[in-house]
Amino acid sequence: CGRAENLKIQKQLGLFDVVISRAIASANTFLELASKYLKTDGKAIAMKGKNWKEECVETAGETAGWKLEKVSDYELSEHQGSHSLLIFKKL
């Protein structure tokens, strides 16, 4: 548990099975950061708003060694809107 910018976490590059983002910039930026921390075949899960397709995440990272495996849509409580979990696999 920690932020990618944290020096303690940076000493653990390539050791994680899963990296999860919460409200980080674009999918490309997240995948670039996640790649450093994940093992091969690791998963990167991005929490995105309803306009995630505008980021072109379906092709984000394909040339950089990523595959978009699954998109799970969900509604937040108290009318906070639609969101999606984008699950990428590091190739």
Side-chain angles (χ1 to χ4, degrees):
C1 179
R3 297 185 60 86
E5 302 87 4
N6 183 310
L7 291 176
K8 181 179 177 184
I9 298 296
Q10 289 180 3
K11 293 178 182 179
Q12 299 177 11
L13 298 177
L15 299 178
F16 294 94
D17 295 312
V18 178
V19 172
I20 301 172
S21 79
R22 184 178 59 108
I24 195 168
S26 71
N28 285 333
T29 299
F30 167 59
L31 292 175
E32 185 178 324
L33 283 169
S35 181
K36 299 174 188 177
Y37 293 95
L38 285 171
K39 299 176 184 176
T40 302
D41 293 331
K43 307 279 181 165
I45 303 173
M47 301 166 124
K48 290 294 184 180
K50 63 182 177 180
N51 298 323
W52 65 267
K53 290 181 183 177
E54 293 176 11
E55 292 184 33
C56 301
V57 296
E58 291 182 47
T59 57
E62 279 187 6
T63 57
W66 292 96
K67 178 183 177 190
L68 178 60
E69 285 192 322
K70 184 176 181 180
V71 176
S72 294
D73 299 317
Y74 62 95
E75 294 287 326
L76 292 175
S77 62
E78 299 180 23
H79 310 289
Q80 294 181 26
S82 301
H83 287 71
S84 299
L85 292 178
L86 311 177
I87 303 170
F88 294 92
K89 179 179 181 182
K90 184 178 178 184
L91 304 174

